[in-house]
Amino acid sequence: MLDIAPSQQAATWLGSFGRTLEAGDIEAATNLFAEDCYWRDLLTFTWNIKTMEGQAAIREMLKATLHLAWPSHWHLSGEPGVDDGTVEAWFTFETTVARGEGILRLKDGRCRTLFTAMSELKGFEEQKGPARPLGIRHKADPKRETWAEARAREARDLGVHEQPYCLVIGGGQGGIMLGARLRQLGVPALVIEKNARAGDSWRNRYRSLVLHDPVWYDHLPYVPFPENWPVFTPKDKMGDWLEMYTRVMELNYWVATKCISAAYDEAEKIWTVVVDRVGQRITLKPKHIVFATGAYGPPRQIELPGAESFKGELLHSSQYSTGEKFRGKRVAVIGAASSGHDVSVDLWEAGAKVTMVQRSPTTVVKSDTLMDVGFEIFSEKALARGITTDKADMIVASTPFALVPKGQRALYDVIRARDADFYQRLSDSGFAIDFGEDETGLLMKAYRTGSGYYIDVGACELILNGEIKVKGGIGIKSLTPSGILFEDGSELEVDAIVCCTGYQSMNETVAAIVSREVADKVGPCWGLGSGVKGDPGPWQGELRNMWKPTAQEALWFHGGNLALSRFYSKYVALQLKARMEGIATPVYGEASNSRR
């Protein structure tokens, strides 16, 4: 088999797979997979975001879904390639209700990983390209309604005479991208944002903030950043882009609107949502609600005994916007991950005397190193090889989460060797470094706990030259009137304390708006069940609750960084569109936290 050209190997396997499925021969289809195999499906078979691990799991999934999906028209797209004996091929296919695409990887003629993802619903395609709307009817008409008049009417009637099918709670990057996807699919949606302007979730943060991820990784759907956009986007520039995007994508977007409460009628299948829009209480009746309130929930406040006695200012990083008022003052920053570093730099630039209190080791990666070896498929070099952002998204999504740690371990072996001197100097300065419990580094920390890492964009040099002091390895005993008392008896005298201690899970936002019962029913978001600290088992194989049906009917979660929001907003929108159009969506697999 190894002597056969990759294209022939891929075509042979895909043809056999298609024929066995068409014949309903599940056993034969399962036998085409290697014993150590994975099938990750985004909606096409499962109407879920789910990974089947091993032949038995694939067999069970096909028994439950094949008679409904009835896939057909399997075709290779592009030229298959081979890497270290593994053949990789892209393909397209159809189900009874949708068109799909995917990536297969063969080892010794059998499938090791299969990725299938829904591209579009038949009969409900986006109006784009040759199918784009005309925009005007070329005919004199005294009853003509212009585009501006139609938009004004829509805005006037929404929430009064017309109810949104979907209410998106949160108008940051995630809510905006989902709103755009829903708009293009013709799903009546309303996005509500508590701030005064779209993009304020970025503008209101500390003045020095710049995105740590490069531009190729951060594009929004439909309207990519222009070619002269900076590699690293300043926060206010990002805010302006998001505000522009809401307008050009014609989103129904309410600013200065806070969600007060939401309750679901299980019999009527409808939500009753009360919002405060610029001081006016409005009741909305959507069929679905999506929590897009950021990657996480409310601020996580740590217990600091003696806090009431501290005479200085004590605040969480979510309340921090500028270091100007701390000029010349002594400030402790509790926390040594991304926010801790960024706030420390901002304070130092404002003229404060900063001490970072490190409570646990941090995974640190230099930005230029990560650009060179970690974002290889999101770069100008990748574009030159024909790997667009959309194609790179598919490559990333096609790797089952169970296989990601191995690749990340190898990546961090390279990173540690490349920057060995940097890490030695940082360690010698008293800063504690780790690469995760299993040496898998930053990405796995992001997936598992969303904490404990920093991409170095300048703070480490300030630590190395002593401009930012580090106090680590000793627990905090209590606060005192003048500062922080540590368990070894030492005391740090400060005028202010900024707690960069992270955020709770998104389901805590549900608790505040819907109920504690529903929040506990759906359970926490993010994490894979890896068993590391902060990510308890059992193993999920997918991120908990994100972008897929939850244990509470008609309640969804959407969020993440720009890349995750861009990619998965498509699949949230397709699920909502299918339900709106009455397409059967039998979900295979339990919700992430049901009966757990």
Side-chain angles (χ1 to χ4, degrees):
M1 191 72 174
L2 296 177
D3 297 329
I4 303 174
S7 57
Q8 188 175 344
Q9 289 188 55
T12 298
W13 190 91
L14 192 64
S16 297
F17 188 58
R19 286 190 297 273
T20 59
L21 294 182
E22 185 176 355
D25 191 342
I26 292 173
E27 198 60 37
T30 303
N31 287 336
L32 292 170
F33 288 83
E35 289 186 14
D36 180 19
C37 60
Y38 301 83
W39 181 347
R40 187 172 194 232
D41 181 59
L42 274 54
L43 312 186
T44 57
F45 283 72
T46 62
W47 281 108
N48 201 349
I49 295 178
K50 186 167 179 62
T51 299
M52 283 58 66
E53 301 182 2
Q55 290 182 342
I58 290 172
R59 183 183 298 109
E60 291 305 308
M61 183 273 286
L62 288 174
K63 285 179 180 178
T65 66
L66 182 58
H67 67 289
L68 298 170
W70 281 127
S72 61
H73 298 84
W74 299 85
H75 298 292
L76 293 178
S77 55
E79 186 65 26
V82 61
D83 182 24
D84 193 26
T86 297
V87 173
E88 179 179 288
W90 294 58
F91 60 88
T92 59
F93 67 106
E94 296 183 17
T95 67
T96 52
V97 300
R99 296 181 185 88
E101 57 189 328
I103 302 173
L104 63 88
R105 296 185 181 93
L106 306 178
K107 188 73 172 180
D108 298 328
R110 301 174 82 187
C111 187
R112 177 82 197 289
T113 69
L114 182 66
F115 174 61
T116 48
M118 188 176 291
S119 302
E120 58 187 3
L121 293 164
K122 294 178 181 177
F124 302 103
E125 299 83 358
E126 291 187 11
Q127 293 183 319
K128 60 183 180 180
R132 72 174 73 232
L134 187 60
I136 191 173
R137 186 163 62 98
H138 291 298
K139 180 181 179 180
D141 184 356
K143 297 181 180 179
R144 180 196 304 272
E145 184 179 48
T146 67
W147 173 85
E149 291 166 346
R151 286 289 294 138
R153 171 180 51 76
E154 185 178 26
R156 184 175 60 249
D157 290 349
L158 188 66
V160 181
H161 303 299
E162 300 288 339
Q163 289 296 323
Y165 181 77
C166 176
L167 176 67
V168 181
I169 301 171
Q173 62 203 34
I176 286 171
M177 283 189 256
L178 178 57
R181 298 280 196 189
L182 292 169
R183 182 80 179 181
Q184 297 309 301
L185 285 172
V187 178
L190 172 62
V191 182
I192 60 171
E193 166 59 30
K194 66 181 180 181
N195 288 308
R197 294 168 60 193
D200 274 355
S201 55
W202 282 100
R203 292 191 196 92
N204 293 344
R205 300 177 73 183
Y206 38 91
R207 59 181 290 277
S208 60
L209 179 63
V210 175
L211 271 70
H212 294 178
D213 298 325
V215 63
W216 307 277
Y217 187 68
D218 290 336
H219 288 300
L220 276 64
Y222 309 115
V223 187
F225 297 120
E227 291 188 358
N228 63 347
W229 197 263
V231 172
F232 300 107
T233 307
K235 69 172 182 86
D236 296 290
K237 191 175 181 70
M238 187 72 236
D240 289 349
W241 184 264
L242 290 173
E243 187 171 34
M244 174 279 297
Y245 189 87
T246 64
R247 292 174 178 159
V248 300
M249 297 307 294
E250 303 179 19
L251 303 192
N252 292 310
Y253 189 95
W254 288 2
V255 296
T257 304
K258 183 178 180 180
C259 189
I260 305 300
S261 65
Y264 188 63
D265 188 317
E266 299 285 350
E268 296 294 327
K269 306 296 183 186
I270 197 166
W271 287 91
T272 298
V273 184
V274 178
V275 304
D276 182 315
R277 187 185 189 193
V278 200
Q280 179 185 4
R281 290 291 175 103
I282 300 172
T283 298
L284 301 170
K285 296 281 191 175
K287 295 285 189 181
H288 295 261
I289 61 173
V290 180
F291 282 85
T293 52
Y296 308 104
R300 178 182 289 117
Q301 306 284 359
I302 62 170
E303 184 178 353
L304 292 169
E308 69 283 351
S309 69
F310 179 58
K311 297 185 182 303
E313 184 169 356
L314 174 63
L315 67 158
H316 187 270
S317 58
S318 60
Q319 302 166 300
Y320 177 90
S321 60
T322 176
E324 284 299 317
K325 66 178 178 178
F326 300 110
R327 183 180 300 277
K329 295 185 177 181
R330 302 162 300 175
V331 184
V333 174
I334 299 177
S338 296
S339 293
H341 282 81
D342 287 346
V343 168
S344 294
V345 170
D346 193 68
L347 285 164
W348 177 84
E349 289 181 348
K353 299 175 183 178
V354 186
T355 300
M356 182 186 292
V357 179
Q358 185 181 29
R359 299 183 301 147
S360 58
T362 308
T363 296
V364 176
V365 188
K366 296 176 70 174
S367 177
D368 56 353
T369 296
L370 201 58
M371 285 283 291
D372 286 347
V373 301
F375 283 104
E376 193 269 337
I377 60 173
F378 292 95
S379 65
E380 285 297 325
K381 291 180 180 178
L383 288 173
R385 303 200 317 271
I387 303 177
T388 63
T389 296
D390 287 343
K391 190 170 184 178
D393 281 344
M394 291 289 285
I395 293 171
V396 171
S398 70
T399 303
F401 281 107
L403 296 183
V404 175
K406 180 180 178 181
Q408 290 300 301
R409 222 173 272 117
L411 172 64
Y412 279 88
D413 285 344
V414 172
I415 289 173
R416 281 181 290 193
R418 171 176 167 147
D419 295 329
D421 179 65
F422 165 75
Y423 288 122
Q424 186 61 56
R425 291 168 58 216
L426 197 57
S427 181
D428 291 344
S429 75
F431 189 90
I433 303 166
D434 79 346
F435 293 93
E437 290 184 23
D438 54 355
E439 305 296 314
T440 53
L442 185 154
L443 182 64
M444 294 313 300
K445 278 193 172 185
Y447 285 148
R448 291 166 172 172
T449 64
S451 63
Y453 54 86
Y454 171 61
I455 299 174
D456 180 28
V457 290
C460 289
E461 192 60 37
L462 294 177
I463 292 171
L464 290 173
N465 64 28
E467 298 289 344
I468 294 176
K469 308 294 184 184
V470 176
K471 178 82 170 180
I474 306 165
I476 297 173
K477 184 175 182 179
S478 69
L479 300 192
T480 68
S482 58
I484 303 173
L485 176 66
F486 293 90
E487 290 177 348
D488 65 351
S490 63
E491 185 171 355
L492 177 66
E493 293 189 352
V494 292
D495 303 300
I497 301 171
V498 183
C499 295
C500 297
T501 49
Y503 295 83
Q504 301 174 62
S505 173
M506 291 171 72
N507 71 317
E508 292 303 318
T509 303
V510 174
I513 292 174
V514 184
S515 70
R516 178 78 263 166
E517 180 184 8
V518 170
D520 291 342
K521 178 181 177 181
V522 298
C525 301
W526 302 99
L528 296 161
S530 61
V532 304
K533 183 180 179 181
D535 183 27
W539 173 248
Q540 302 281 329
E542 293 286 347
L543 293 167
R544 295 185 185 94
N545 282 320
M546 297 307 300
W547 317 296
K548 57 188 175 181
T550 68
Q552 171 57 55
E553 184 179 8
L555 185 152
W556 308 76
F557 292 101
H558 173 62
N561 61 20
L562 285 155
L564 291 171
S565 292
R566 172 186 64 245
F567 182 72
Y568 286 103
S569 58
K570 174 179 180 178
Y571 301 101
V572 178
L574 284 169
Q575 290 172 87
L576 291 168
K577 176 66 172 178
R579 284 161 173 77
M580 188 185 84
E581 299 297 347
I583 296 171
T585 57
V587 177
Y588 177 76
E590 294 182 343
S592 294
N593 294 280
S594 63
R595 288 183 276 167
R596 293 191 188 279

